[in-house]
Amino acid sequence: MSRWLLRRTGDAVATALVASVVLIILLHLLPGDPLAAVLGDHPVPPAVEAALRRQWGTDRSVVQSIGAVFAGLAHGDLGVSIVEQRPVLAILGERLGPTFLLGALTLLIDFTAGLALGVWSALHPDAIRARLIGAITIVGYALPSFVVGMLLVWMFAVKLRWFPAAGLSNVLLRPDASVMTTLLDHLKHLVLPLAAMVIATLAVPLRQQRAAALVTAAQPWVLAARARGISPALVAWRHCWRPALTPIVTLLGLWLPMLVAGAVFVEVVFQWPGIGLLLARATQDRDIPLVMGAGLLLIVTVQLGSLLADVMYHVVDPAQRQA
Amino acid sequence: MTRLARVGLAILTLLAAFAIVGPWIAGDPNAQPDPVNGSLLLPSPAHWLGTDQLSRDIFARLASGARISLAVAAIAVSVAAVFGSALGLAAGAAPGLAGRLLQRLIDLGLALPRIIVLLVVLAALGRMHYVLLGVVLGATGWPAVARLVRGETLRLRHAQYVAAARALGAPPARVLWYEIFPGTLPAVLVASTLGLADAILLEAGLSFIGVGIRPPEASWGGMLYEARDYIGSAPWLVFIPCLALVAATSAATLLGDALRRSLQPETR
């Protein structure tokens, strides 16, 4: 186990490193000069341009860039944002909380409600349930997250006025408001983005778990357990749930990139001040250091997630431990 | 072919026809006939789907958007299919170290979240022509195709008819091109149809966050980007492109699922 874990961790680190090198090389190979785009029709003295190029790092060769990024990483320095003129790391730090909150809650709901609904629909394959699951699946696959988000805004923020349409908190809230009021305000702002994320991503774990539970429910030992008079609920809990868990754990690794993409679009819809919104805006501004920093952060997160999924796979499936 | 697949195919055909013919009958998508009195109008005989905040005809923008959005997706899928197939075939057929290296390359492509690579590339390139956007989308879509084709290649290498061709003395290149490659095409077709939905969604998403097709050019996602601020006063500006998007992606998904069921029964 420990040797396997070591090798798997090494793999994840290597992938993250190679991925960042690929991104840096890509940036160099592509035409397009962000500085020229920003300067536009306003020519500056050559000395100023040279200074700006040095500051932006556009005067470096590929090798120098790779070296600079890794040296920076070792010092915990990801460069300076062009637009904000502040360290990229500091900006990322401010944005991490909202994204993590939204992502973790989505994950939690998807993998509890999704699993429960999947097992439930597999064990009671009647028409109404099948139709309900079918509806969730179709909505999840056909409606992109930002479309779901816009429709939610229209319904619950514009028409019904139940929840705020955007942001993390009410800017008009007085700073000396009580803790309860502030918390409630944050919760209200969280509802719609969270709903959009869950609706857009729930279908995948649900369908996977349903398929896995259907296979498990058809096993002879499930029938044997039922024949011994064990109640259906207990059979589901004790005998169907755990074996059906392995496919879902591997899914977690595949599912994280989806969460990242969802986060970018949903955060833009709701102006949720997380990494996704930051990445979208930085791309629009062509703020390369910031885009690189946010991109690297998300790549590392995804790698960590798939590593975690593999470790959980080992824990859940004893057969894997011998391998 | 199941009924759902037929529905999917019919919708896709209709949308493609709309993308080809629509812009001819709809007129200029950027004309602003009357910005003062003619903006945010409800549908009427003069403007079939109403007008937007700049008095532009929504039907004309939807038609022009269909052409751009579907063209981008079609280019993306073609690029990904060609590049992915070539790489997958090579990875599956190349012996020893070369095969392993290609396999690592595919793994790396799969490990990189597509949206992040796209945003980095778009940040570097800035505003671009829609054909180029299609190529860029395709250049990030190959790993899914490559993985499938590699798997099929590995499987077909041990098929009896391939062994028979080899036994008859066919050289490896001939076996690969005439025996194995045609066998991988069903997998490519399935991956491409499902990839079409992905490409439409990605283009719309990127345009929606303001980094794909940018105003004043019309694409479905770009229309949403511009309509965002009018969701309270003119929600149909949001609904119409949403409807077009959902129709296109669900049609591609239905067709892709049906193709997968009929062409690759073993993966069910």
Side-chain angles (χ1 to χ4, degrees), chain A residues 8 15-16 18-19 22 250-258 260 298-299 302-303 306, chain B residues 80 83-84 87-88 91 101-117 138-151 191 198:
Chain A
R8 182 65 188 77
T15 311
V18 174
V22 168
T250 49
L251 184 72
L252 186 68
L254 295 173
W255 184 83
L256 267 170
M258 223 177 83
V260 168
L298 290 179
I299 287 173
V302 168
Q303 280 302 312
S306 78
Chain B
F83 195 56
L87 213 64
L101 277 179
L102 286 171
Q103 167 62 17
R104 296 298 291 190
L105 183 67
I106 296 172
D107 282 345
L108 183 70
L110 286 167
L112 276 173
R114 191 174 179 188
I115 182 77
I116 292 173
V117 183
T140 55
W142 58 266
V145 182
R147 188 192 52 180
L148 269 178
V149 172
R150 177 177 176 274
D198 278 346

Side-chain angles (χ1 to χ4, degrees), chain A residues 67-87:
Chain A
V69 169
F70 281 110
L73 275 179
H75 294 105
D77 174 16
L78 287 170
V80 176
S81 155
I82 291 171
V83 174
E84 293 198 33
Q85 291 294 323
R86 288 196 299 142

Side-chain angles (χ1 to χ4, degrees), chain B residues 10-25 63 66-67 70:
Chain B
I11 296 176
L12 275 186
T13 315
L14 276 177
L15 282 172
F18 178 54
I20 294 165
V21 181
W24 283 333
I25 44 176
R67 188 174 276 189
L70 294 181

Side-chain angles (χ1 to χ4, degrees), chain A residues 142-144 150 154 268 284 286 298, chain B residues 116 123-124 225 228 235 246 249:
Chain A
L143 292 185
M150 300 274 274
W154 178 75
V268 171
Q284 225 175 358
R286 307 184 70 180
L298 290 179
Chain B
I116 292 173
Y225 171 76
R228 234 170 15 169
V246 172
T249 51

Side-chain angles (χ1 to χ4, degrees), chain B residues 137-228:
Chain B
L137 275 174
T140 55
W142 58 266
V145 182
R147 188 192 52 180
L148 269 178
V149 172
R150 177 177 176 274
E152 288 292 288
T153 309
L154 288 178
R155 191 174 64 85
L156 290 172
R157 261 169 58 178
H158 303 292
Q160 283 189 339
Y161 75 92
V162 174
R166 225 175 269 130
L168 284 172
R174 193 193 150 85
V175 170
L176 191 63
W177 184 249
Y178 283 101
E179 311 296 340
I180 294 180
F181 171 63
T184 64
L185 284 179
V188 176
L189 185 65
V190 171
S192 298
T193 320
L194 292 171
L196 190 67
D198 278 346
I200 295 172
L201 275 188
L202 268 174
E203 180 274 316
L206 291 170
S207 305
F208 172 71
I209 62 174
V211 299
I213 305 290
R214 302 189 192 200
E217 250 188 306
S219 80
W220 293 341
M223 289 172 76
L224 280 177
Y225 171 76
E226 291 189 81
R228 234 170 15 169

Side-chain angles (χ1 to χ4, degrees), chain A residues 43-113:
Chain A
V44 293
V48 176
E49 196 188 320
L52 276 173
R53 281 202 185 284
R54 201 160 44 248
Q55 193 194 341
W56 288 24
T58 50
D59 61 343
R60 298 191 194 119
S61 70
V62 182
V63 181
Q64 280 173 325
S65 279
I66 295 172
V69 169
F70 281 110
L73 275 179
H75 294 105
D77 174 16
L78 287 170
V80 176
S81 155
I82 291 171
V83 174
E84 293 198 33
Q85 291 294 323
R86 288 196 299 142
V88 168
L89 210 61
I91 301 175
L92 290 179
E94 292 162 12
R95 300 298 191 113
L96 209 54
T99 294
F100 185 75
L101 180 69
L102 195 57
L105 285 176
T106 308
L107 194 83
L108 190 72
I109 295 177
D110 273 8
F111 278 74
T112 47

